[in-house]
Amino acid sequence: MKLTFLGTGTSQGVPTIGCRCKVCCSSDRRDRRLRTSAMVEIGDQRLVIDAGPDFRYQMLRTGVRHIDAILLTHEHKDHIGGLDDVRAFNFVDYPPIIHRVDIYASPRTAACVRKDFDYAFAQNKYRGVPEIELREFDPAKPFTIDGTEIIPIAGKHSDRFAVTGFRVGKLAYLTDFKTIEDAEVEKLFGVEVLVVNALRFSEHPSHFSVREALRLIERIEPQCAYLTHMSHEIGLHAETELQLPQNVHLAYDTLQIDIND
């Protein structure tokens, strides 16, 4: 199994528009972060987690010509805003084949996708709209995609918003979490690689801070962990990385991790 970080930034990305802080002005490519997204490859199967506003460029940057499914963590625009661009995958081999893209979402997120991209689900669609097969999952139950088991990990983004992480074999990927119940934490035990959001060092009302992320990592005890969904307030990659425990790292865009199946 291989994990590729397509984007590791917060909803505004890094650099942030108009900001002149040392991180936003950094020449280190690890400090330049597109909106958070990831790709998991299991053999020939390719799953993408979230498709935000940078989805098009992320796909171009990786050179990907085919994806099997997109998993959505929640309905915020920095995670679903790029879904219109799945239409490029519909027509990669056209003619004669049109490839519909399977998108997996919780009922609430699926409802938002139907609303925001209503033209993709219209009775009389105009030519060129994204061909989407929207599949709802129950966040409390595992499901499979072409034989690969996906275990949803339920959490809270805030009191108002739920969020779903995913465990795939020995990998778990959580983003935009603020709280997680003990029963959900138990689903994470035994993972070797844990990805978890850490917006910044100071507290935030709807995202883990670095300290909160590290606390969860200590409970799970993975072999290694990677922080994602980071704002410019996380500091320079080269400096912040030195402050973390030995088995915890700052993820960065295009980083690839091999994971034993």
Side-chain angles (χ1 to χ4, degrees):
M1 183 190 304
K2 181 167 71 175
L3 168 68
T4 302
F5 289 95
L6 302 174
T8 56
T10 186
S11 59
Q12 297 183 76
V14 182
T16 300
I17 293 173
C19 183
R20 303 300 298 170
C21 75
K22 64 179 181 179
V23 177
C24 289
C25 294
S26 171
S27 60
D28 187 339
R29 69 179 184 87
R30 297 173 299 179
D31 291 320
R32 306 187 73 83
R33 306 180 182 280
L34 300 180
R35 267 63 75 91
T36 293
S37 178
M39 182 168 65
V40 181
E41 296 173 89
I42 310 104
D44 294 330
Q45 189 180 48
R46 186 175 288 128
L47 310 176
V48 171
I49 303 176
D50 287 334
D54 299 316
F55 176 72
R56 174 181 173 275
Y57 179 64
Q58 289 166 341
M59 294 296 96
L60 289 171
R61 184 167 63 179
T62 59
V64 166
R65 297 186 72 252
H66 171 80
I67 58 175
D68 292 287
I70 297 174
L71 305 172
L72 298 180
T73 60
H74 63 299
E75 64 271 23
H76 287 167
K77 283 297 180 290
D78 55 317
H79 296 264
I80 71 168
L83 284 177
D84 182 81
D85 284 316
V86 303
R87 57 199 169 104
F89 291 109
N90 298 151
F91 301 105
V92 165
D93 298 317
Y94 180 81
I97 301 170
I98 297 176
H99 300 283
R100 294 175 69 85
V101 176
D102 290 337
I103 296 178
Y104 290 79
S106 69
R108 174 172 173 148
T109 301
C112 189
V113 171
R114 289 191 186 94
K115 176 176 67 69
D116 289 5
F117 301 93
D118 58 349
Y119 54 89
F121 304 96
Q123 196 83 24
N124 298 307
K125 294 186 275 190
Y126 64 85
R127 189 177 180 207
V129 302
E131 296 289 342
I132 292 172
E133 189 69 47
L134 189 56
R135 302 181 182 274
E136 294 186 17
F137 63 79
D138 182 341
K141 297 178 181 179
F143 59 95
T144 60
I145 302 176
D146 294 331
T148 297
E149 184 181 52
I150 311 295
I151 301 175
I153 310 297
K156 284 288 190 179
H157 194 350
S158 68
D159 292 338
R160 295 177 57 196
F161 298 107
V163 66
T164 306
F166 301 102
R167 177 171 180 171
V168 185
K170 297 178 182 178
L171 164 69
Y173 182 94
L174 313 180
T175 189
D176 289 53
F177 273 60
K178 178 58 181 179
T179 59
I180 182 171
E181 298 293 333
D182 290 344
E184 299 301 304
V185 173
E186 290 181 7
K187 298 177 184 179
L188 298 170
F189 290 130
V191 300
E192 293 185 359
V193 177
L194 175 63
V195 180
V196 60
N197 60 287
L199 187 74
R200 62 193 191 192
F201 281 89
S202 59
E203 296 284 327
H204 189 275
S206 61
H207 296 82
F208 281 156
S209 65
V210 172
R211 182 173 63 179
E212 290 168 326
L214 292 178
R215 191 180 303 141
L216 178 62
I217 292 167
E218 289 173 1
R219 291 182 66 184
I220 304 304
E221 296 184 330
Q223 289 184 7
C224 59
Y226 294 87
L227 305 184
T228 193
H229 203 283
M230 295 170 283
S231 76
H232 58 170
E233 295 176 79
I234 201 76
L236 294 169
H237 185 286
E239 295 177 0
T240 301
E241 179 86 0
L242 299 176
Q243 303 175 43
L244 300 175
Q246 190 172 8
N247 69 326
V248 181
H249 308 279
L250 295 184
Y252 57 87
D253 291 19
T254 73
L255 174 65
Q256 295 186 330
I257 308 296
D258 290 318
I259 303 163
N260 294 324
D261 295 335

